[in-house]
Amino acid sequence: MSAPSRSRAVPYEIVAIGASAGGVKALLTVLEALPADFPVPLVIVQHLDPRHDTVLAELLGRRSRLRVKLAEAGDVAEPGVAYLAPPDRHLLVGPGGELRLSERDKVRFVRPSVDLLFESVAEAYGPAALVCVLTGTGFDGSAGARAVSSHGGTVVAEDPSTAEFKGMPQAVVNSVAVDLTLPLEGIADALVALTGGTRSL
């Protein structure tokens, strides 16, 4: 009989997810496996074409038991809701879960930036932050993951060997001591177990 998991001194209060190439399919896989009573908010950056409006929130919402919406400035992140960065806007999270949108310069050639989202979550939530990097090309998310780790938060990466595009998760694995590296199909269960306190690292 295995010993029960140790409970964390600080429970998680938010999950932030970053994805790029291949990310729509990956986000569908993760979000459709999360329960409607998921206990914390989710904030998501998926790199999108800045020249077009997006129907991604509607697409994900049709397949998810969570409420999925494009983030709006002044929203306060609520449990069981997934907030997507709109095209061509950085999404930042402030104290108390207040969402902010920014048109500041692109970071590593992208806006929205996973790095900026993760860095804001690290500052606002410290060890209560849980972030996850999914499929994508490039390096976005690695600097933000370092910030989360240095503030005591938890970093999860999709296994680069099984990701559709391994660039982003591999960059995170190379730059920080990732807490969990999982195939895409195992990420939702891990998020549920970690936020529910039934899985320790």
Side-chain angles (χ1 to χ4, degrees):
M1 181 172 158
S2 62
S5 297
R6 291 181 297 106
S7 60
R8 282 167 44 87
V10 177
Y12 295 109
E13 296 178 16
I14 196 164
V15 171
I17 299 176
S20 186
V24 173
K25 186 162 66 174
L27 286 169
L28 282 168
T29 298
V30 173
L31 291 184
E32 70 182 1
L34 295 178
D37 60 352
F38 192 69
V40 301
L42 294 100
V43 285
I44 300 169
V45 162
Q46 162 69 49
H47 295 158
L48 298 166
D49 187 335
R51 297 165 296 180
H52 301 290
D53 292 336
T54 181
V55 296
L56 183 57
E58 291 86 346
L59 174 66
L60 295 174
R62 284 198 295 269
R63 297 269 293 272
S64 174
R65 285 164 285 185
L66 305 175
R67 180 179 170 221
V68 183
K69 72 183 297 281
L70 283 182
E72 298 177 72
D75 280 348
V76 177
E78 299 177 0
V81 183
Y83 301 86
L84 293 172
D88 208 29
R89 296 289 184 275
H90 294 305
L91 173 60
L92 307 170
V93 184
E98 183 176 355
L99 305 186
R100 303 194 303 271
L101 301 178
S102 169
E103 297 181 53
R104 64 180 278 190
D105 291 347
K106 293 180 179 180
V107 177
R108 297 185 181 185
F109 309 106
V110 294
R111 185 173 58 217
S113 161
V114 179
D115 280 333
L116 288 187
L117 174 63
F118 285 6
E119 288 165 2
S120 72
V121 165
E123 289 289 338
Y125 288 91
L130 171 58
V131 303
C132 178
V133 177
L134 302 176
T135 173
T137 56
F139 301 92
D140 193 20
S142 56
R146 284 197 302 273
V148 169
S149 184
S150 70
H151 282 75
T154 297
V155 178
V156 177
E158 182 177 356
D159 187 339
S161 69
T162 57
E164 185 174 356
F165 295 89
K166 70 178 183 180
M168 276 174 50
Q170 187 67 61
V172 170
V173 168
N174 291 347
S175 65
V176 66
V178 171
D179 296 287
L180 288 174
T181 304
L182 299 166
L184 178 63
E185 292 72 20
I187 286 176
D189 284 348
L191 296 180
V192 169
L194 288 166
T195 57
T198 60
R199 177 173 184 165
S200 61
L201 297 171

